[in-house]
Amino acid sequence: MSALLEIKQLHAGIPDKPILNGLSLSINPGEVHAIMGPNGSGKSTLSYVLSGKSGYEINGGSMLFDGQELAEMTPEARAIAGLFLAFQYPLEIPGVTNMTFLKTSLNAIRRGRGEDEMDAASFLRLARAKSKALGMDDDMLRRQLNVGFSGGEKKRNEILQMAMLEPKLAILDETDSGLDIDALKTVAEGVNALRSPERGMLVITHYQRLLDFIKPDVVHVMAKGQIVKSGGPELALELEKSGYAEYSGGTEAPAGGREAHA
Amino acid sequence: MSEAKAIIESEAKASIDKDTVEQVAQFGGEHYKYGFTTDVDMDRVENGLSEDIIRFISAKKDEPQWLLDWRLDAYERWLTMEEPEWAHVDYPKIDYQDLCYYAAPKSMEDGPKSLDEVDPELLKTYEKLGIPLIEQEMLAGVRKVAVDAVFDSVSVGTTFRDELAKEGVIFCSFSEAVKEHPDLVQKYLGSVVPKSDNYFTALNSAVFSDGSFVYIPPGVRCPMELSTYFRINEANTGQFERTLVIADKGSYVSYLEGCTAPMRDENQLHAAVVELVALEDAEIKYSTVQNWYPGDADGKGGIYNFVTKRGDCREDRARISWTQVETGSAVTWKYPSCILRGDGSSGEFYSIAISNNLQQVDSGTKMIHLGKNTSSKIISKGISAGRSSNCYRGQVSVHPKAADARNFTQCDSLLIGDKCAAHTVPYIEAKNLSAVLEHEATTSKISDDQLFFCQQRGLDAEEAVALIVNGFCRDVLQNLPMEFAVEAQKLVGISLEGSVG
Ligand SMILES: Nc1ncnc2c1ncn2[C@@H]1O[C@H](COP(=O)(O)OP(=O)(O)OP(=O)(O)O)[C@@H](O)[C@H]1O
Ligand SMILES: [Mg+2]
């Protein structure tokens, strides 16, 4: 089986500051991987480098998505190829309604794939159904994109976009932070609904409780820009108990907010 | 004299992230899709301005003596005036003797009776511009739009005249109005914008060639949108049109003007005058989509757009609303204004002004509160990209007798890249203590993060900019007649093409 995402010895960072130091990771279709790791270990950087945010330099290694080298693609081409990033900090676009944004995005991706744009009626039906499934009312669709949204609403909105775009690989960057327990369940249901044998997910989180709802196949520990340990779901439980002390030399706070040198 | 006057000038230069700056690419003239020229035999007078030229234009149009005298008086005054220099624009001195003041297609000489007789080349021009000059059967649900098409110095034709005439609405070229409705023209011409109001109005009053005339009788709600499309085609000519709209008591009209010109390496002058008169309880909505050729990426060519537009709410409870989408021209100098004379009258100004490359815009409005209980609202959205300069200049003045005047001004600037500039120059003058005047201003820029967010959702950089800018302009776009809002949205995207890489 060929991997959906194959990262090999990736070195990347901002000018004069290496952040990812020879990171390797492989995700097969149908798998859900979780990445945990201390603050500043490079988790968001990995998500940005994969999705093509400007400002980062790639200094070595490769990242193949569906056999294509991501580094050679524009950010929009990566999105069109089926890579989706749910942002840790979703952006606001004043004056653009959620609905308009979703429609522009969906149609840009369809056009990019050589498909016809979706007609207005079908789009409306789809958007309503998906937002309802995520417990969002129609009012949210009419509001300006993320403007005045609460932290949790913004995160939920990211999942709505993911549900609309049905990507091949979804990277969720701390989608659980800021969610109350009910929202966490709904969001997890949204994510689980997308699980399929063709799709892959990379879930970045600090908390084991998300993984109670979204069962990962593989859990990775990231520290100082590398994957330092990988294992099954039990690894997340271990981390919850003992923190990252053994990986980061005790300088970082552990998950769950406990002291490293308890 | 007690006068409270506040002049605030705020300048903002974008400090955008380095990467966007690197992405800023130049946009060549090829994006301007109206840049073609029409090849027809033209009747053009020799270059230069003199009493003889004015007599020639007047004779060409078979004008009555009073109008010739009016023109000559304007010319006398113009000779004593100086070109204004206070605007935040910079352009080489214009040689007024090196311009052509009258150019018209030869085929228009015999005065075609109807559109069927108009030279097909001319009709094709408007077809290419997407302007219907045929009274087509409209699809169900789509409102009709009557069009007056002005080509260089003459009106080519006006549609739906008969249908409008049934309601008593007069919609025709200015030249025809002079012939067929001389009383109305003589009564209102220059009554809002005096001949010698400024340098360019004096020039226009002396040499104006054509334009549109609208009269809506008392109590009539004009049954369709009225619109005029101005096209400059000839090289080295100026276009000096004149528009006069009169809404009689209790009437309503919505009017739209559009402007395009071929791409040429030399600059061309457009100095128009628009006068609106709204009588008791009447309402005029005037929308402009100005897309004159802006010049190329290096600032070569383009139209100098020096326009005076003013509306007079002459009687009680009259309402005038200006909406403008300004994307074209090399230099724009334009301040659509409202004189709120009648008690309870109101004026509105909604503006989107986009400048890219080396375009310069100095635009805004004046709201002059004279009557009691008058109100005005100003929503201005300025977008600067490239190395352009974009200045909002607005004046709100409240006369001593204008009790309980209200104004709300919202003035937002958006910057794309770090080589452009935005300026805001509001003048506020309140001579009556009961006035309530509010002014809000913001300056923002498109962030790299916003662009990346959109790109991650499949939009390319240009689509992303167009989406974000359209969002920024939403309050104004919503005010355009539905027929033109979609067009305007696209135009916003097109005029910013190349502003990011
Ligand atoms: N554009 C940037 N400029 C300066 N430093 C940066 C930039 N991007 C990332 N860094 C630095 O790189 C390191 C990794 O940051 P990153 O956001 O990837 O961490 P993270 O693992 O996602 O942390 P958290 O758990 O807090 O979200 C941090 O030290 C951060 O300050
Ligand atoms: Mg992070």
Side-chain angles (χ1 to χ4, degrees):
Chain A
M1 181 165 45
S2 72
L4 182 59
L5 179 69
E6 180 84 62
I7 307 173
K8 278 192 186 146
Q9 286 299 314
L10 183 62
H11 289 264
I14 52 172
D16 303 324
K17 178 172 173 159
I19 301 173
L20 302 179
N21 303 303
L23 183 141
S24 297
L25 176 69
S26 172
I27 301 178
N28 290 316
E31 289 178 357
V32 172
H33 289 226
I35 292 190
M36 305 183 83
N39 294 131
S41 56
K43 303 182 296 296
S44 293
T45 301
L46 174 63
S47 75
Y48 289 146
V49 169
L50 287 173
S51 54
K53 187 174 178 178
S54 60
Y56 293 96
E57 296 175 342
I58 293 169
N59 303 315
S62 67
M63 30 182 195
L64 293 182
F65 176 56
D66 238 359
Q68 277 186 287
E69 175 53 55
L70 286 174
E72 287 161 9
M73 299 160 76
T74 61
E76 61 271 25
R78 301 180 203 202
I80 290 163
L83 184 96
F84 179 91
L85 170 61
F87 284 65
Q88 184 172 2
Y89 305 107
L91 277 294
E92 298 180 3
I93 305 187
V96 175
T97 64
N98 215 355
M99 193 73 106
T100 302
F101 184 73
L102 279 173
K103 192 166 172 210
T104 311
S105 162
L106 183 69
N107 282 332
I109 285 179
R110 289 173 74 114
R111 263 201 320 276
R113 292 179 183 161
E115 298 165 11
D116 285 340
E117 294 193 3
M118 190 179 277
D119 66 87
S122 317
F123 170 80
L124 200 64
R125 236 176 292 126
L126 186 68
R128 288 220 173 110
K130 299 276 187 190
S131 57
K132 195 164 166 231
L134 285 165
M136 298 164 69
D137 40 298
D138 282 3
D139 181 48
M140 293 288 273
L141 290 173
R142 284 190 292 269
R143 282 173 61 181
Q144 303 179 25
L145 183 69
N146 290 332
V147 176
F149 282 29
S150 74
E153 284 168 342
K154 284 184 185 172
K155 294 300 179 72
R156 217 185 271 232
N157 208 28
E158 292 290 289
I159 299 305
L160 173 63
Q161 290 163 38
M162 179 181 79
M164 291 292 292
L165 300 178
E166 302 186 326
K168 267 193 216 158
L169 176 70
I171 304 168
L172 311 184
D173 191 359
E174 293 197 31
T175 301
D176 53 334
S177 58
L179 291 182
D180 64 41
I181 191 71
D182 293 334
L184 187 69
K185 277 186 203 157
T186 342
V187 161
E189 275 164 26
V191 173
N192 287 330
L194 271 188
R195 286 180 86 149
S196 82
E198 306 85 52
R199 224 165 252 144
M201 308 232 181
L202 185 59
V203 180
I204 298 170
T205 183
H206 285 295
Y207 304 106
Q208 151 64 25
R209 62 168 194 180
L210 177 70
L211 305 180
D212 287 340
F213 298 108
I214 305 173
K215 290 263 175 314
D217 297 297
V218 186
V219 175
H220 306 276
V221 180
M222 182 161 169
K224 295 180 179 157
Q226 286 180 321
I227 300 295
V228 291
K229 188 168 185 181
S230 303
E234 71 288 345
L235 183 54
L237 289 166
E238 246 172 64
L239 287 170
E240 184 99 329
K241 273 201 223 98
S242 54
Y244 298 117
E246 71 173 283
Y247 310 107
S248 54
T251 56
E252 301 285 347
R258 289 216 228 135
E259 287 297 321
H261 304 284
Chain B
M1 195 169 83
S2 74
E3 179 178 311
K5 191 171 184 180
I7 302 172
I8 310 151
E9 178 148 1
S10 67
E11 279 193 30
K13 289 222 191 312
S15 56
I16 201 162
D17 311 52
K18 194 164 117 259
D19 290 295
T20 301
V21 175
E22 281 164 7
Q23 280 175 13
V24 172
Q26 291 308 318
F27 127 74
E30 71 272 13
H31 290 282
Y32 187 75
K33 62 174 179 172
Y34 309 104
F36 65 90
T37 47
T38 306
D39 199 9
V40 286
D41 271 345
M42 294 295 284
D43 177 15
R44 61 179 285 167
V45 70
E46 79 229 37
N47 287 5
L49 183 53
S50 64
E51 252 190 56
D52 283 349
I53 293 287
I54 293 165
R55 286 179 195 282
F56 170 86
I57 295 171
S58 188
K60 261 281 181 230
K61 298 186 170 285
D62 229 348
E63 285 177 353
Q65 186 63 38
W66 70 263
L67 192 50
L68 174 61
D69 294 342
W70 197 83
R71 287 176 180 275
L72 291 172
D73 179 49
Y75 178 62
E76 287 287 306
R77 291 164 189 248
W78 180 74
L79 288 174
T80 67
M81 298 171 84
E82 300 271 337
E83 207 168 319
E85 281 175 355
W86 46 262
H88 212 290
V89 293
D90 186 21
Y91 56 94
K93 205 125 195 72
I94 297 169
D95 181 355
Y96 291 90
Q97 293 307 333
D98 194 30
L99 284 180
C100 165
Y101 290 86
Y102 185 86
K106 280 214 173 99
S107 62
M108 295 305 295
E109 189 93 333
D110 333 319
K113 295 281 168 306
S114 73
L115 278 164
D116 304 337
E117 295 172 26
V118 168
D119 181 353
E121 259 321 293
L122 291 174
L123 294 181
K124 248 195 265 164
T125 302
Y126 289 91
E127 206 178 292
K128 264 168 109 173
L129 294 170
I131 298 156
L133 275 191
I134 304 157
E135 297 183 10
Q136 334 158 267
E137 277 305 307
M138 295 284 171
L139 299 166
V142 177
R143 278 185 294 162
K144 284 178 186 166
V145 179
V147 177
D148 182 23
V150 177
F151 190 89
D152 289 329
S153 302
V154 290
S155 166
V156 170
T158 313
T159 62
F160 292 110
R161 291 176 59 158
D162 297 344
E163 202 172 324
L164 288 166
K166 277 184 214 140
E167 307 269 353
V169 171
I170 304 169
F171 179 40
C172 63
S173 75
F174 204 91
S175 310
E176 284 167 288
V178 170
K179 288 204 183 88
E180 289 163 30
H181 311 281
D183 299 349
L184 283 172
V185 175
Q186 197 165 5
K187 180 170 176 190
Y188 290 104
L189 179 68
S191 74
V192 185
V193 179
K195 278 176 279 202
S196 54
D197 186 81
N198 65 63
Y199 188 78
F200 298 111
T201 58
L203 177 64
N204 174 287
S205 301
V207 302
F208 74 87
S209 38
D210 217 333
S212 303
F213 176 85
V214 175
Y215 172 78
I216 316 288
V220 170
R221 197 180 161 86
C222 187
M224 59 183 94
E225 294 285 335
L226 305 184
S227 66
T228 302
Y229 282 91
F230 295 102
R231 175 76 178 165
I232 298 179
N233 186 62
E234 270 289 279
N236 249 319
T237 54
Q239 193 176 48
F240 306 93
E241 87 270 357
R242 191 102 203 172
T243 301
L244 179 53
V245 179
I246 303 142
D248 213 321
K249 292 180 197 297
S251 68
Y252 167 85
V253 63
S254 170
Y255 181 93
L256 181 117
E257 83 181 353
C259 332
T260 57
M263 301 190 319
R264 293 190 188 281
D265 283 349
E266 73 275 13
N267 296 102
Q268 283 181 281
L269 176 64
H270 172 254
V273 173
V274 175
E275 297 180 276
L276 311 182
V277 180
L279 301 183
E280 200 175 71
D281 291 307
E283 179 175 2
I284 302 174
K285 250 181 95 86
Y286 194 105
S287 313
T288 304
V289 176
Q290 186 266 106
N291 188 20
W292 294 120
Y293 177 54
D296 70 8
D298 302 317
K300 194 162 191 199
I303 302 289
Y304 293 155
N305 190 35
F306 302 144
V307 173
T308 301
K309 292 183 166 175
R310 197 171 300 156
D312 188 358
C313 290
R314 199 159 284 182
E315 296 180 351
D316 294 352
R317 296 171 304 278
R319 296 185 296 283
I320 289 178
S321 172
W322 297 101
T323 303
Q324 61 172 23
V325 179
E326 302 281 317
T327 61
S329 298
V331 180
T332 295
W333 179 98
K334 179 184 170 191
Y335 317 90
S337 305
C338 297
I339 302 168
L340 305 170
R341 206 183 297 276
D343 291 346
S345 62
S346 73
E348 293 175 331
F349 174 73
Y350 296 94
S351 170
I352 296 169
I354 297 181
S355 54
N356 196 359
N357 298 315
L358 285 163
Q359 282 177 276
Q360 306 174 55
V361 181
D362 194 297
S363 184
T365 184
K366 284 190 234 172
M367 293 291 174
I368 314 292
H369 294 255
L370 302 176
K372 297 184 184 66
N373 279 310
T374 48
S375 64
S376 60
K377 183 173 172 186
I378 299 169
I379 308 283
S380 162
K381 306 276 179 179
I383 298 109
S384 352
R387 287 174 286 160
S388 67
S389 148
N390 203 322
C391 176
Y392 167 81
R393 186 182 302 276
Q395 178 181 357
V396 175
S397 86
V398 179
H399 195 261
K401 290 191 182 127
D404 300 314
R406 290 183 309 280
N407 165 265
F408 174 75
T409 299
Q410 168 90 44
C411 188
D412 299 322
S413 306
L414 183 70
L415 300 142
I416 304 172
D418 68 345
K419 294 189 180 70
C420 55
H423 315 267
T424 304
V425 190
Y427 300 85
I428 300 158
E429 217 175 350
K431 295 185 189 161
N432 185 305
L433 286 174
S434 63
V436 179
L437 313 177
E438 288 174 77
H439 182 98
E440 290 174 11
T442 66
T443 299
S444 53
K445 63 190 176 93
I446 295 184
S447 72
D448 279 358
D449 286 348
Q450 274 175 323
L451 279 181
F452 173 62
F453 187 60
C454 293
Q455 287 175 291
Q456 211 307 299
R457 297 299 185 255
L459 283 66
D460 67 31
E462 277 176 1
E463 290 170 318
V465 168
L467 182 77
I468 294 168
V469 172
N470 270 306
F472 174 75
C473 298
R474 187 167 118 116
D475 299 347
V476 175
L477 287 171
Q478 280 177 336
N479 255 290
L480 281 174
M482 190 188 45
E483 289 83 348
F484 306 105
V486 178
E487 224 20 61
Q489 264 182 33
K490 280 192 214 140
L491 191 56
V492 165
I494 291 167
S495 55
L496 285 167
E497 267 172 19
S499 63
V500 291

